[in-house]
Amino acid sequence: MSESLYQEIILDHYRNPHHKGLREPFEAEVHHVNPTCGDEVTVRVHVADGVVKDVSYDGVGCSISQASTSVMTDLVIGRPVDEAMSKADAFLELMQSKGTLEPDEDALEDGIAFAGVSRYPARVKCALLGWMAWKDATAQALAATEKEAS
Amino acid sequence: MSESLYQEIILDHYRNPHHKGLREPFEAEVHHVNPTCGDEVTVRVHVADGVVKDVSYDGVGCSISQASTSVMTDLVIGRPVDEAMSKADAFLELMQSKGTLEPDEDALEDGIAFAGVSRYPARVKCALLGWMAWKDATAQALAATEKEAS
Amino acid sequence: MTTLLPDLTTTPYDVEAIRRDFAVLSREVNGRPLVYLDNASSTHKPRQVLDAERAFVEQHYSNVHRGVHTLSQEATAAYEAARATVAAFIGAQHDEVVFTKNVTESLNLVAYSLGNPGSPMTLGHGDEIVVTEMEHHSNLVPWQMLCERTGATLKWFGLTDDGRLDLADGVITERTKVVAFVHQSNLLGTVNPLPELVRMAKAVGALTVVDAAQSVPHMPIDVAALGVDLFAFTGHKMLGPTGVGVLWGRNELLSSLPPFMGGGSMIEVVEMAGSTYAPAPERFEAGTPAISQAIGLAAACDYLGAIGLDRIAAHEAALTATLLDGLRRISGVRVIGPDSMESRGSAVSFVVDGVHPHDVGQTLDEIGIAVRVGHHCAAPVCKRYGVPATTRASSYAYNTEAEIDTLLDGIEHVKRFWGVS
Amino acid sequence: MTTLLPDLTTTPYDVEAIRRDFAVLSREVNGRPLVYLDNASSTHKPRQVLDAERAFVEQHYSNVHRGVHTLSQEATAAYEAARATVAAFIGAQHDEVVFTKNVTESLNLVAYSLGNPGSPMTLGHGDEIVVTEMEHHSNLVPWQMLCERTGATLKWFGLTDDGRLDLADGVITERTKVVAFVHQSNLLGTVNPLPELVRMAKAVGALTVVDAAQSVPHMPIDVAALGVDLFAFTGHKMLGPTGVGVLWGRNELLSSLPPFMGGGSMIEVVEMAGSTYAPAPERFEAGTPAISQAIGLAAACDYLGAIGLDRIAAHEAALTATLLDGLRRISGVRVIGPDSMESRGSAVSFVVDGVHPHDVGQTLDEIGIAVRVGHHCAAPVCKRYGVPATTRASSYAYNTEAEIDTLLDGIEHVKRFWGVS
Ligand SMILES: Cc1ncc(COP(=O)(O)O)c(C=O)c1O
Ligand SMILES: Cc1ncc(COP(=O)(O)O)c(C=O)c1O
């Protein structure tokens, strides 16, 4: 099953998710649901000095949504928000590529294991669930910190 | 064009309609319209002693509706209402036969020329316009005379 | 269980002959022969249906109802003959069948018509519409929307733990105007007690509306004998094309309802200041209908009729019994819906402990097995049984015992792959 | 007149090659070669369209949007690719195209949505909806019904004697909420001054809704450049299958409108107590869509695109000019609609003095010529011009000059047969 959606990397993240669990401190928490399959994720974001200090999460869902959220935390934690956002954009682009894009391993690291998912429109939403929640939470966190600052 | 819808009999009645024009006396007058093609007919009925004494009419429309109304008057005027009604039923049956019925010349006389029309659903309504108006008017005339009698 | 089935040995059911009519069934998926068990979602179409449509389009096509030229007459005759065939298939009269685009439109048609000016019932605050908790969204959302438009209240029958309707007292009351329910649930497989529901509705003078999307394809139906008021189903679940559905109702009832969509063919006299409408079925067929699709659906009815709905039902029952038996033997698998053959159809939903339905479905797909995963457009049922989604296998006339065995083996494979065995 | 046409000699238009793609065009009717001039009612479908549908159904069919299995992914991809093709055909974005069953549904969708709870406009007494006197019933009756439901008032632009809109002042006012009009009249052939109407509507902030059933098949359209709000057309008039239509609107606008029909696929979260809805286009596609028909329509767009809409328009213009010229030369024939080539399409309505349109049409059919007779679902236009009905000849990409000549000879025959020459 070399063409399987379920690359070893995905299965590893699914079985042993990174950074899972809800932690403090955080400036924003969001809850996203994929209504077509019931997958849910709660994401907390802690940003300071323009850097993603922590992302913690909890959720239920299929292997793709769980593994992709785990990979996402690896990719964004510790990075400047701008850089993390551009990774999110790169992942989004990969997911919308319908299998036509050669993924950039330097940028996406373990995320490249999801390239095959882009051929399965029904699963793309799963792969994006955690990422979209993170983007949403980060935007809220930035807005909240700006408000405090002003 | 031996299979033409336009049998000589139909063309004759169309060119020289029988009993056309509105006359007195009459107990009921109706106005029927075929909304899909704008054909219209006004029919007056004079019944007495259970007999169709006169049917007069005026109208505009295609050859089929005009000729069929003319044939109708030939068939019903002077006959007992029951007998006329059964002619109307025979004509209706012929029209609904989709070309499968052998028309009864004794009963329908010139009306048999319309047998071919039954193969053209869009024209069946034309052929029935005058007949339906006559049935309607006759029912009203009977109701009116009964009321007077009672 | 076997006593429930007619004797298939005296009239052998030739599933292989049937399969040859469906091109896709000889396809491979991921290197394995396709095992198509997603029939509750949609069925494949035999070449007889495709041929009927094509022959019509290539030789007799034209718009219907509006012309005197030969093609128009032929097309009208073919379209009306299709209506007669579909009507006969459910024991109905020709003028009782309205063609729609799918059962969803059929149900929306009713929900809109009943709330439109001229409706024989006035709906407002205090009036109640009753559905069930096992409705497909297509027989739930239209009623929610009708209630929102009119101020009526939506009520529903809940479900028992074993996937049946809980026909509790007090749901149907003197205020109930409409009782709308699914004949056979697409998620649970449950066949609902239609006579009982009709009796309860009639006792309070409520109109009955039946979503028969999953029953008409799978059992012989004599709609005239059911005592229901309106009855709707969809072509693509019964070997017919997409794009065509049906609403059945007695002509007097249909012709007493105000129109749904306005436009060509449904009118009588149109003036700028206002219009009058044709009687049913035309009243509800605004615009150019799904002409060739209606003809395809009639061909599907002929095809099903030639096999025999009773024999199809028996064939499915045998497959379903095998499937339920097999699932019972796999640990960690739970059926959502009736676990017995009593009053149930061939749609079997289940969950595999520890494996998300998406992963069950995808892993089965990797070995060529097509099942559906998700909430099957019946989200409240998932909620009721505390699952986010289910995996559903649903068989039809062309499935085989061997395919059910492949599925059962596949579920064992799923458990191994995801390490839950 | 010829200066209006591009030079067809340098890029020869191969009508015979096109004709070979349409099986029915080599058919005989009443012993004569079929001359099909009823294209404004519906067009025939080339084998490329039929083949595309069949290949899909035989190898990749499944329901869309709801599954993870391979067929379901393939079917979804094919359906969404069809949406993208249709969108590109009119210069639109993928998420701006809603598939409906026909243009009639597209227009009813808008009329219902605008009156439903959550509509961005409130409609009631004092509000006005403006149409024209040349609307097809499908763009008239839905607005009459909306006015009946909401208490709004219907107003309309009248017609001039030569078949044009009379853009009188005072029809559109500050109270106008919607201006709905036909782009090209199916009865008169008139192409309406769309920019002018859009300007008038925008000046008062009214929404524009365009019935493009007769324009999209016959002229290149860049919908994004038109400045209209909602734009609707139908598949079967542009070489596509029956059972599929389109509504175009910018995604922001579509997603701001409340739903029309409720059911599967158009929802986000469904609970018994209430539901939320998906964004457009899904919001307006309740139930299983016309999957294979959308794929057929995309194939039709590809086919038309390969010929070139500008070249088709030029070809039709040449045929129409020949027809109008010829009709002018026959005494006792009167064209209803513009008698010049300026801003007119290929639908030409006429009356033959002394012969009822039914008899004109039937007599032409007896020599193989298919034209439409009646009010063409635009009864108010007939009334305006004082005729009960008209005969209408309408050409398309596959018609020939020889066929127009046959029609003109046929009209002479009609006159002789009915003794009015
Ligand atoms: C201008 C116009 N609008 C609307 C329609 C209705 O199209 P449909 O029947 O496909 O809904 C037609 C064709 O009948 C038309 O010509
Ligand atoms: C019970 C039931 N009702 C309604 C529907 C909706 O059918 P359609 O999508 O053809 O409108 C379905 C299938 O999806 C169904 O199973």
Side-chain angles (χ1 to χ4, degrees):
Chain A
M1 274 202 281
S2 65
E3 300 198 40
S4 172
L5 194 67
Y6 299 118
Q7 305 287 313
E8 261 325 307
I9 300 178
I10 295 180
L11 296 178
D12 285 348
H13 276 275
Y14 175 54
R15 293 192 185 116
N16 304 298
H18 305 180
H19 307 104
K20 191 161 178 174
L22 293 170
R23 289 181 297 278
E24 314 234 335
F26 62 96
E27 291 76 41
E29 174 182 303
V30 302
H31 180 71
H32 276 207
V33 176
N34 182 342
T36 56
C37 58
D39 284 8
E40 305 187 20
V41 72
T42 302
V43 170
R44 288 182 180 177
V45 169
H46 172 35
V47 252
D49 312 325
V51 169
V52 182
K53 296 285 184 191
D54 192 22
V55 178
S56 65
Y57 69 97
D58 201 7
V60 287
C62 67
S63 59
I64 301 295
S65 71
Q66 299 304 297
S68 148
T69 306
S70 168
V71 168
M72 178 270 291
T73 59
D74 281 355
L75 284 169
V76 302
I77 292 175
R79 286 194 204 274
V81 172
D82 289 1
E83 215 180 303
M85 279 287 171
S86 70
K87 290 202 187 281
D89 292 344
F91 190 79
L92 178 63
E93 196 193 358
L94 180 63
M95 285 303 99
Q96 291 173 339
S97 73
K98 299 183 177 151
T100 61
L101 213 71
E102 197 54 57
D104 176 353
E105 180 155 9
D106 288 345
L108 292 178
E109 303 174 24
D110 279 4
I112 66 166
F114 293 84
V117 175
S118 71
R119 287 183 284 110
Y120 295 82
R123 306 305 297 275
V124 167
K125 276 191 188 166
C126 309
L128 290 175
L129 184 67
W131 285 91
M132 290 306 183
W134 172 75
K135 276 184 84 165
D136 189 4
T138 304
Q140 290 186 24
L142 293 177
T145 33
E146 257 171 46
K147 216 173 161 192
E148 243 160 64
S150 71
Chain B
M1 275 201 281
S2 64
E3 299 200 40
S4 171
L5 194 67
Y6 299 118
Q7 305 287 313
E8 261 326 305
I9 300 177
I10 294 180
L11 296 177
D12 286 346
H13 275 275
Y14 175 54
R15 291 188 187 119
N16 304 298
H18 305 179
H19 307 105
K20 191 162 177 173
L22 294 170
R23 289 180 295 278
E24 315 232 337
F26 63 95
E27 291 76 39
E29 174 183 300
V30 303
H31 180 71
H32 276 207
V33 177
N34 181 342
T36 56
C37 59
D39 284 7
E40 305 186 20
V41 71
T42 303
V43 170
R44 288 182 179 175
V45 169
H46 172 37
V47 255
D49 313 325
V51 170
V52 182
K53 296 285 184 191
D54 192 21
V55 178
S56 66
Y57 69 96
D58 200 5
V60 287
C62 67
S63 59
I64 301 294
S65 71
Q66 298 303 298
S68 148
T69 306
S70 168
V71 168
M72 178 270 292
T73 60
D74 281 355
L75 284 169
V76 302
I77 292 175
R79 283 194 206 272
V81 172
D82 289 0
E83 216 181 300
M85 280 286 172
S86 70
K87 290 203 187 278
D89 292 344
F91 190 77
L92 178 63
E93 196 192 1
L94 179 62
M95 285 303 100
Q96 292 172 337
S97 73
K98 299 181 176 152
T100 61
L101 212 72
E102 197 53 57
D104 177 352
E105 181 156 9
D106 289 345
L108 292 178
E109 302 174 24
D110 279 4
I112 64 167
F114 293 84
V117 175
S118 71
R119 286 181 285 111
Y120 296 82
R123 305 306 296 278
V124 167
K125 277 191 187 165
C126 308
L128 290 175
L129 184 67
W131 285 91
M132 291 305 183
W134 171 76
K135 276 184 84 164
D136 189 4
T138 304
Q140 289 186 25
L142 292 177
T145 34
E146 258 171 46
K147 216 173 158 192
E148 243 158 64
S150 71
Chain C
M1 210 121 305
T2 39
T3 52
L4 288 176
L5 313 174
D7 189 353
L8 283 171
T9 54
T10 55
T11 52
Y13 185 92
D14 192 348
V15 70
E16 289 307 326
I18 294 172
R19 289 176 73 81
R20 282 193 290 276
D21 293 330
F22 296 80
V24 75
L25 295 182
S26 43
R27 203 191 127 156
E28 295 206 335
V29 163
N30 292 321
R32 308 285 188 97
L34 168 66
V35 173
Y36 187 79
L37 289 167
D38 190 20
N39 294 291
S41 178
S42 200
T43 63
H44 289 288
K45 296 106 187 44
R47 64 185 162 73
Q48 288 84 345
V49 166
L50 305 179
D51 289 349
E53 253 197 271
R54 184 146 190 160
F56 167 73
V57 171
E58 290 198 332
Q59 291 300 327
H60 309 284
Y61 179 76
S62 165
N63 214 326
V64 294
H65 293 320
R66 302 185 201 158
V68 298
H69 65 73
T70 298
L71 288 184
S72 159
Q73 300 288 351
E74 290 176 1
T76 304
Y79 179 67
E80 293 304 327
R83 194 194 303 279
T85 300
V86 172
F89 185 74
I90 56 165
Q93 299 298 313
H94 178 251
D95 64 356
E96 299 175 341
V97 160
V98 176
F99 284 123
T100 60
K101 72 171 175 177
N102 52 27
V103 68
T104 302
E105 182 190 341
S106 303
L107 296 164
N108 278 275
L109 185 169
V110 175
Y112 269 108
S113 176
L114 292 177
N116 271 349
S119 167
M121 61 174 68
T122 52
L123 285 169
H125 291 276
D127 293 317
E128 295 172 354
I129 290 170
V130 170
V131 297
T132 83
E133 203 177 356
M134 66 166 85
E135 295 313 313
H136 188 283
H137 297 160
S138 292
N139 200 30
L140 171 59
V141 180
W143 303 111
Q144 290 177 336
M145 290 173 66
L146 176 62
C147 288
E148 200 186 346
R149 286 196 301 278
T150 59
T153 303
L154 190 72
K155 295 173 71 178
W156 54 89
F157 287 109
L159 305 182
T160 64
D161 287 343
D162 59 343
R164 307 280 177 187
L165 281 188
D166 177 4
L167 290 182
D169 281 347
V171 177
I172 293 180
T173 70
E174 292 296 327
R175 290 183 299 278
T176 306
K177 294 291 184 79
V178 178
V179 179
F181 61 93
V182 67
H183 196 181
Q184 174 169 326
S185 159
N186 66 311
L187 192 148
L188 300 168
T190 315
V191 175
N192 283 318
L194 187 143
E196 180 71 2
L197 284 157
V198 168
R199 200 190 50 68
M200 291 167 81
K202 281 214 192 309
V204 299
L207 197 81
T208 46
V209 181
V210 179
D211 173 357
Q214 297 289 345
S215 55
V216 169
H218 300 282
M219 57 175 82
I221 294 282
D222 180 1
V223 77
L226 295 180
V228 303
D229 294 310
L230 296 160
F231 188 83
F233 54 102
T234 204
H236 67 94
K237 291 188 203 281
M238 49 189 288
L239 311 185
T242 51
V244 62
V246 173
L247 174 67
W248 171 89
R250 290 200 195 279
N251 193 271
E252 309 82 77
L253 174 61
L254 288 176
S255 294
S256 77
L257 299 178
F260 168 38
M261 295 200 233
S265 303
M266 55 72 75
I267 51 83
E268 204 170 66
V269 176
V270 175
E271 302 190 344
M272 293 306 291
S275 303
T276 59
Y277 309 115
E282 284 75 20
R283 171 174 304 186
F284 296 107
E285 294 185 2
T288 302
I291 306 170
S292 63
Q293 293 74 29
I295 287 160
L297 177 56
C301 290
D302 286 341
Y303 188 90
L304 291 170
I307 306 179
L309 261 289
D310 47 348
R311 298 176 75 218
I312 292 173
H315 176 71
E316 281 181 33
L319 300 180
T320 308
T322 305
L323 176 56
L324 287 174
D325 270 358
L327 290 177
R328 242 174 256 128
R329 285 200 212 98
I330 305 177
S331 66
V333 168
R334 183 159 53 100
V335 168
I336 308 290
D339 195 13
S340 82
M341 285 303 296
E342 209 194 299
S343 298
R344 74 129 48 239
S346 66
V348 176
S349 274
F350 58 92
V351 291
V352 179
D353 287 345
V355 191
H356 189 281
H358 264 182
D359 293 321
V360 175
Q362 193 96 44
T363 307
L364 289 173
D365 182 62
E366 293 193 344
I367 53 174
I369 303 169
V371 294
R372 185 87 9 180
V373 299
H375 54 44
H376 315 290
C377 298
V381 184
C382 290
K383 192 166 177 196
R384 163 65 179 81
Y385 293 104
V387 293
T390 77
T391 302
R392 181 189 67 192
S394 52
S395 59
Y396 202 25
Y398 41 63
N399 290 114
T400 65
E401 290 280 345
E403 289 181 311
I404 302 296
D405 292 340
T406 305
L407 169 64
L408 291 165
D409 291 345
I411 297 170
E412 298 281 13
H413 162 77
V414 166
K415 287 180 59 190
R416 279 192 305 277
F417 184 84
W418 293 99
V420 297
S421 49
Chain D
M1 209 121 308
T2 39
T3 54
L4 288 177
L5 314 175
D7 189 353
L8 283 172
T9 54
T10 56
T11 51
Y13 185 92
D14 193 349
V15 69
E16 289 308 326
I18 294 172
R19 289 177 72 80
R20 282 192 290 276
D21 292 331
F22 296 80
V24 75
L25 295 183
S26 43
R27 203 190 127 157
E28 295 205 336
V29 163
N30 293 321
R32 307 286 187 97
L34 169 66
V35 173
Y36 186 79
L37 289 167
D38 190 19
N39 294 290
S41 177
S42 200
T43 64
H44 289 288
K45 297 105 187 42
R47 64 184 162 71
Q48 288 83 346
V49 166
L50 305 179
D51 288 349
E53 253 196 272
R54 183 145 191 162
F56 167 73
V57 171
E58 290 198 332
Q59 290 301 325
H60 310 284
Y61 180 75
S62 165
N63 214 327
V64 294
H65 293 319
R66 302 185 200 157
V68 299
H69 66 74
T70 298
L71 288 184
S72 160
Q73 300 288 352
E74 291 177 0
T76 304
Y79 179 68
E80 292 304 327
R83 195 195 302 279
T85 299
V86 172
F89 184 74
I90 56 165
Q93 300 297 313
H94 179 250
D95 64 356
E96 299 175 341
V97 160
V98 176
F99 283 124
T100 59
K101 71 171 175 176
N102 52 26
V103 68
T104 302
E105 183 191 340
S106 303
L107 295 164
N108 278 276
L109 185 168
V110 176
Y112 269 109
S113 175
L114 292 176
N116 271 350
S119 167
M121 62 173 71
T122 51
L123 285 170
H125 290 277
D127 294 316
E128 295 172 355
I129 289 170
V130 170
V131 297
T132 83
E133 203 177 356
M134 66 166 86
E135 296 312 313
H136 187 282
H137 297 160
S138 292
N139 199 31
L140 171 59
V141 181
W143 303 111
Q144 291 177 336
M145 289 172 65
L146 175 61
C147 288
E148 200 185 345
R149 286 195 302 277
T150 60
T153 302
L154 190 73
K155 295 173 71 179
W156 54 90
F157 286 109
L159 305 182
T160 65
D161 287 343
D162 59 344
R164 307 280 177 186
L165 281 188
D166 177 5
L167 290 182
D169 282 346
V171 178
I172 293 181
T173 71
E174 292 296 327
R175 290 184 298 278
T176 306
K177 294 292 183 78
V178 178
V179 179
F181 60 93
V182 67
H183 195 181
Q184 174 168 324
S185 158
N186 67 311
L187 192 149
L188 300 167
T190 314
V191 176
N192 283 319
L194 187 143
E196 180 71 3
L197 285 157
V198 168
R199 200 189 51 68
M200 292 167 79
K202 280 216 192 308
V204 299
L207 196 82
T208 46
V209 181
V210 179
D211 173 358
Q214 296 290 345
S215 55
V216 169
H218 299 284
M219 57 174 83
I221 294 281
D222 180 2
V223 78
L226 294 181
V228 303
D229 294 309
L230 296 160
F231 188 83
F233 55 101
T234 203
H236 67 93
K237 291 187 203 284
M238 50 190 287
L239 311 185
T242 51
V244 62
V246 173
L247 175 67
W248 171 89
R250 291 198 194 281
N251 193 270
E252 309 84 77
L253 174 61
L254 289 176
S255 292
S256 76
L257 299 177
F260 168 40
M261 294 199 234
S265 304
M266 55 72 75
I267 50 84
E268 205 171 64
V269 176
V270 176
E271 302 190 343
M272 292 306 292
S275 304
T276 59
Y277 309 115
E282 284 74 20
R283 171 173 305 185
F284 296 106
E285 294 184 2
T288 301
I291 305 170
S292 64
Q293 292 75 29
I295 287 160
L297 177 55
C301 290
D302 286 341
Y303 188 90
L304 291 170
I307 306 180
L309 262 288
D310 47 348
R311 299 176 75 218
I312 292 173
H315 176 72
E316 280 180 33
L319 299 180
T320 308
T322 305
L323 177 56
L324 287 174
D325 271 359
L327 290 177
R328 242 173 256 127
R329 282 199 214 99
I330 305 177
S331 65
V333 168
R334 183 159 51 101
V335 169
I336 308 289
D339 194 13
S340 81
M341 284 305 295
E342 210 194 297
S343 299
R344 74 129 48 241
S346 66
V348 177
S349 273
F350 58 92
V351 291
V352 179
D353 286 345
V355 191
H356 189 282
H358 264 181
D359 292 322
V360 175
Q362 192 96 44
T363 308
L364 289 172
D365 183 63
E366 292 193 344
I367 53 173
I369 303 169
V371 294
R372 184 92 4 184
V373 299
H375 55 45
H376 315 290
C377 297
V381 184
C382 289
K383 191 167 176 195
R384 162 66 179 80
Y385 293 104
V387 293
T390 77
T391 302
R392 181 188 68 191
S394 53
S395 59
Y396 203 24
Y398 41 63
N399 290 114
T400 65
E401 291 279 346
E403 289 181 312
I404 302 296
D405 291 340
T406 305
L407 169 63
L408 291 166
D409 291 346
I411 296 170
E412 299 280 14
H413 162 77
V414 166
K415 287 179 60 189
R416 279 193 304 277
F417 184 83
W418 292 100
V420 297
S421 46

